[in-house]
């Protein structure tokens, strides 16, 4: 047998799936063109902010423009098809985005549709490919969990009707242990490192004040490696997700790390790059920081139930 680069092949697989969901196509040429530009965009998002030829950050800007051009052609073609056949049933996510309208009947403009596709196509395959790779490797290192996950899959297949040709959503929801193994994989390796938010009002959290307008920097790895939230954190143990309800939800909200506005210039510039604008949108909206879900008493309540 030959050798393969596992991550490369898994990224191609997840990219093929997300392209099919959004664009309803399995065209090799389209996927290869998009994958090439997304690779450059990802390198730029993780690079130093040096906007000079030859640097990853500069290449990311060019890749974004190329992606806009590719998606604009796709959107133009799809809108043309809808004009020629107004009763055509939506077949993929792009159709849904084009047809979507708010309570006032306003529909998304082309640049808004393209922004959404660029963002979710990237998020939908990059992290999925890496997580799948790590789950595969970690389960191989823990044969007892691998066998348990394998047995669960075999039992689902045995219950399948003879005339059923493919997997159903109902079967996905029956994969209880595999779901926990994937959750534990994401905690264990923490592929997505951080999130930025803005406090829309003054928030008091565990004795600290987050002033209105400050940016909140959530460092996921610190949360996932907090021994107060995850006992025996260096051990891969899917059973830690056997709990349910608010206790499970709280495991993702252990604490926040806060940075002042002076430290967020690069994140804002990268956001501007992602939206193909010279500056970040002035009317951007951020989810409000929810104090109640993060309050000290809730965390103490969780710790008492460990």
């Amino acid at each position: 047998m030959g050798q393969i680069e596992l991550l490369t092949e898994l990224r191609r697989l997840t990219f093929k799936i997300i392209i099919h969901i959004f664009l309803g196509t399995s065209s090799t040429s389209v996927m290869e063109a998009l994958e090439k530009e997304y690779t450059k965009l990802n390198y730029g998002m993780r690079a130093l902010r040096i906007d000079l030829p030859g640097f990853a950050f500069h290449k990311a800007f060019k890749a974004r423009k190329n992606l806009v051009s590719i998606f604009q052609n796709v959107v133009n073609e799809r809108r043309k098809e809808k004009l020629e056949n107004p009763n055509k049933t939506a077949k993929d996510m792009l159709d849904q985005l084009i047809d979507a309208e708010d309570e006032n009947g306003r529909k998304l403009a082309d640049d808004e549709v393209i922004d959404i596709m660029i963002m979710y196509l990237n998020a939908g395959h990059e992290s999925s490919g890496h997580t799948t790779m790590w789950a595969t490797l970690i389960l191989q290192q823990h044969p007892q969990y691998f066998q348990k996950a394998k047995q669960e899959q075999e039992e689902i297949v045995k219950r399948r009707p003879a005339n059923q040709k493919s997997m159903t959503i109902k079967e996905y929801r029956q994969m209880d242990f595999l779901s926990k193994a994937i959750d534990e994989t994401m905690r264990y390796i923490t592929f997505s490192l951080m999130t930025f938010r803005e406090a829309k009002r003054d928030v008091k959290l565990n004795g600290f004040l987050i002033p209105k307008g400050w940016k909140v920097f959530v460092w996921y790895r610190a949360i996932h490696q907090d021994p107060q939230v995850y006992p025996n954190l260096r051990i891969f143990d899917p059973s830690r997700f056997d709990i349910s309800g608010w206790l499970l939800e709280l495991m993702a909200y252990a604490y926040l790390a806060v940075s002042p506005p002076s430290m967020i210039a690069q994140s804002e510039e990268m956001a501007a790059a992602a939206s193909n604008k010279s500056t970040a949108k002035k009317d951007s909206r951020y989810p409000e920081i929810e104090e109640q879900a993060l309050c000290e008493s809730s965390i103490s309540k969780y710790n008492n139930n460990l």
Side-chain angles (χ1 to χ4, degrees):
M1 295 180 64
Q3 296 182 343
I4 64 169
E5 291 185 357
L6 181 59
L7 178 58
T8 299
E9 297 304 319
L10 288 174
R11 287 177 62 188
R12 286 174 179 167
L13 173 62
T14 55
F15 194 71
K16 181 178 180 180
I17 293 171
I18 200 70
I19 285 292
H20 181 75
I21 292 172
F22 268 81
L23 304 180
T25 180
S26 57
S27 171
T28 302
S29 59
V30 172
M31 285 191 291
E32 287 180 351
L34 290 173
E35 185 179 13
K36 180 180 178 181
E37 301 303 333
Y38 268 115
T39 298
K40 296 177 183 177
L41 183 64
N42 268 304
Y43 285 147
M45 292 175 66
R46 294 168 171 80
L48 293 174
R49 194 178 70 237
I50 304 176
D51 191 12
L52 293 173
F55 287 87
F57 190 80
H58 179 80
K59 292 179 181 179
F61 275 102
K62 295 180 65 176
R64 210 286 176 175
K65 292 179 180 178
N66 292 337
L67 286 170
V68 169
S69 178
I70 294 171
F71 283 127
Q72 186 64 66
N73 291 333
V74 174
V75 171
N76 290 343
E77 184 64 29
R78 196 62 61 89
R79 290 195 185 279
K80 180 181 177 181
E81 292 176 2
K82 287 185 174 295
L83 287 175
E84 295 174 351
N85 186 6
N87 298 322
K88 182 181 178 181
T89 304
K91 65 177 182 179
D92 51 39
M93 188 63 71
L94 177 56
D95 285 333
Q96 299 287 351
L97 289 172
I98 291 175
D99 293 340
E101 58 182 49
D102 62 18
E103 61 275 10
N104 297 318
R106 176 187 174 277
K107 292 191 174 184
L108 296 171
D110 284 3
D111 62 332
E112 293 173 315
V113 172
I114 292 170
D115 278 348
I116 292 172
M117 288 198 297
I118 288 177
M119 177 177 63
Y120 282 105
L121 279 170
N122 188 48
H125 91 280
E126 185 72 14
S127 56
S128 299
H130 281 80
T131 301
T132 303
M133 177 198 71
W134 281 111
T136 302
L137 295 177
I138 293 171
L139 285 175
Q140 289 293 324
Q141 295 169 355
H142 298 79
Q144 71 276 27
Y145 296 138
F146 174 79
Q147 289 300 326
K148 190 172 182 178
K150 182 173 181 289
Q151 182 180 359
E152 182 179 67
Q153 303 301 303
E154 291 172 344
E155 291 175 354
I156 291 173
V157 173
K158 288 178 181 179
R159 295 193 297 267
R160 181 179 297 172
N163 59 348
Q164 182 179 320
K165 302 300 181 181
S166 59
M167 191 171 293
T168 65
I169 293 295
K170 180 180 179 181
E171 288 176 333
Y172 277 115
R173 292 171 178 169
Q174 293 172 352
M175 300 178 187
D176 181 65
F177 179 78
L178 182 60
S179 177
K180 293 172 183 176
I182 293 173
D183 285 342
E184 175 66 349
T185 298
M186 291 190 289
R187 181 206 69 82
Y188 193 71
I189 58 100
T190 313
F191 173 73
S192 297
L193 299 179
M194 67 196 77
T195 293
F196 294 93
R197 290 294 184 267
E198 178 180 315
K200 300 190 69 178
R201 59 180 173 83
D202 288 348
V203 176
K204 291 183 179 179
L205 177 64
N206 294 348
F208 294 93
L209 173 65
I210 303 176
K212 178 181 178 180
W214 275 37
K215 300 301 185 290
V216 180
F217 176 50
V218 186
W219 186 254
Y220 291 134
R221 182 161 292 169
I223 297 172
H224 295 162
Q225 299 296 320
D226 184 352
Q228 293 185 355
V229 181
Y230 298 102
N232 302 316
L233 57 91
R234 299 297 182 187
I235 297 176
F236 181 82
D237 181 13
S239 68
R240 72 173 77 245
F241 288 94
D242 286 344
I243 60 176
S244 61
W246 74 270
L247 283 173
L248 179 59
E249 294 174 2
L250 190 59
M251 294 175 84
Y253 296 103
Y255 57 82
L256 300 177
V258 182
S259 60
S262 61
M263 297 177 62
I264 61 157
Q266 181 168 348
S267 66
E268 289 185 343
E269 187 163 347
M270 287 309 302
S275 61
N276 199 31
K277 295 177 176 61
S278 59
T279 57
K281 294 181 180 179
K282 294 182 179 180
D283 61 343
S284 295
R285 297 292 183 265
Y286 299 85
E288 183 165 297
I289 304 300
E290 293 294 341
E291 178 182 3
Q292 183 176 1
L294 300 167
C295 67
E296 186 173 9
S297 61
S298 293
I299 296 175
S300 298
K301 183 178 179 183
Y302 167 74
N303 290 333
N304 290 337
N305 281 275
L306 291 176

